[in-house]
Amino acid sequence: MSGGTHTALIAGAGRLPAILTEAVPDLLVCEMIGAPCDLDGDHLRFRIERLVPFLDELADRGIERVVFAGAMQRPAIDPEQFDPRSAQLVPRLAMAMQAGDDATLRAVIEVFEEFDLEVVGAHEIAPALLPEAGVLCGKPSVVDEEDAERGAEIVTALGASDIGQGAVVGRGLCLAVETLPGTDAMLDFVRHHKGLRGDLKAVKGVFYKAPKPDQDRRADLPAIGVETVKNAAAAGLSGIAFEAGGVMLLDRDAVIEAAEAAGLFLWAREP
């Protein structure tokens, strides 16, 4: 995709928004009040309670495309801040929120599209985020390959219930699954609990990550960064496998370097 003159970035926390602004410097950075991003500088700040006026302002600025990037917590809602048009969206968004994160993202995307804004994925702004299929470093063993296969089955089942996008499997046993606290919390759980059972002390295991089935890949596409590698290494795992074309690799060279230094394999696995 070409320059970002007509593209707005709805930025959350984490490294991804910075990667996008480095790839496309002229993005209009927008920050939701109550869900701050980690980028420096002046941003177009908006309240979720005044979503429609914000969308009107994007149109006035000539914005045609929007990309969502970064972790974004749900802000506290102040009912007194709602304008009449935004208030009309509340029942619709509240119903979606009750159905889970994926349903919420779909509903938000639909609202943006109704205001003639094209919603694009972060990987469309920076295609290099998605590595091609293949082993990027290290070498998975036969046991690792079997654990990755089992991990893919588990993540598919989790995703169908809109629960998570990752799992840790060791010798066919599910050691942990990703839930609301996220990947780092899951890996920390493995690090602290794997040694509690004597029969698991020698088990390494594989962290597998993939999008949810039928997920709208324009938002919340899973990502792996340097911290993920460090946490997988601290958990005593042998490597990380992920769905090729479905998981973003943040700071690819640094991630590969960290994996090599820790003795972990990185495998972009065919779905």
Side-chain angles (χ1 to χ4, degrees):
M1 181 176 294
S2 59
T5 305
H6 301 291
T7 304
L9 165 63
I10 312 298
R15 173 73 180 131
L16 182 56
I19 291 174
L20 296 185
T21 57
E22 290 164 7
V24 186
D26 53 351
L27 293 171
L28 172 65
V29 178
C30 307
E31 178 182 31
M32 184 166 64
I33 296 172
C37 69
D38 295 327
L39 295 174
D40 295 328
D42 294 328
H43 310 137
L44 176 58
R45 303 179 77 234
F46 68 97
R47 304 189 66 96
I48 190 66
E49 300 95 335
R50 299 186 60 78
L51 181 59
V52 172
F54 167 65
L55 296 173
D56 287 340
E57 181 165 358
L58 293 183
D60 291 342
R61 289 173 176 250
I63 296 298
E64 300 171 354
R65 295 180 297 266
V66 174
V67 57
F68 296 88
M72 195 171 296
Q73 64 187 28
R74 295 180 182 179
I77 302 296
D78 182 355
E80 294 184 358
Q81 294 290 334
F82 277 106
D83 66 279
R85 290 189 299 160
S86 299
Q88 294 177 7
L89 299 173
V90 172
R92 173 178 170 187
L93 294 178
M95 184 177 298
M97 290 172 69
Q98 292 177 355
D101 289 343
D102 199 40
T104 302
L105 287 170
R106 288 179 185 275
V108 171
I109 287 173
E110 287 175 359
V111 170
F112 275 72
E113 289 178 331
E114 288 169 7
F115 280 77
D116 296 324
L117 292 164
E118 178 189 6
V119 178
V120 298
H123 57 288
E124 296 177 80
I125 296 289
L129 286 167
L130 293 181
E132 296 181 358
V135 177
L136 304 180
C137 69
K139 183 175 176 57
S141 67
V142 172
V143 172
D144 292 330
E145 292 176 357
E146 293 172 350
D147 284 344
E149 176 68 27
R150 177 65 175 147
E153 295 171 356
I154 292 169
V155 171
T156 297
L158 287 174
S161 299
D162 198 10
I163 294 175
Q165 300 170 312
V168 176
V169 176
R171 294 184 185 172
L173 300 173
C174 181
L175 305 180
V177 295
E178 181 183 293
T179 54
L180 187 60
T183 298
D184 291 343
M186 177 190 66
L187 294 173
D188 189 57
F189 174 88
V190 174
R191 180 169 71 90
H192 283 97
H193 292 82
K194 195 168 65 170
L196 296 181
R197 281 181 50 175
D199 58 337
L200 293 181
K201 286 184 179 179
V203 173
K204 289 202 167 188
V206 173
F207 169 40
Y208 182 80
K209 198 166 185 69
K212 300 169 186 174
D214 302 322
Q215 175 178 332
D216 191 322
R217 299 194 174 197
R218 292 174 293 175
D220 196 30
L221 202 64
I224 291 170
V226 172
E227 286 302 311
T228 312
V229 173
K230 291 180 178 177
N231 290 331
L237 303 185
S238 57
I240 300 173
F242 54 95
E243 182 182 305
V247 176
M248 296 181 290
L249 208 59
L250 308 182
D251 298 310
R252 175 187 176 120
D253 291 344
V255 170
I256 293 174
E257 181 180 350
E260 290 176 334
L264 270 63
F265 69 79
L266 282 177
W267 178 20
R269 182 178 174 274
E270 287 282 6

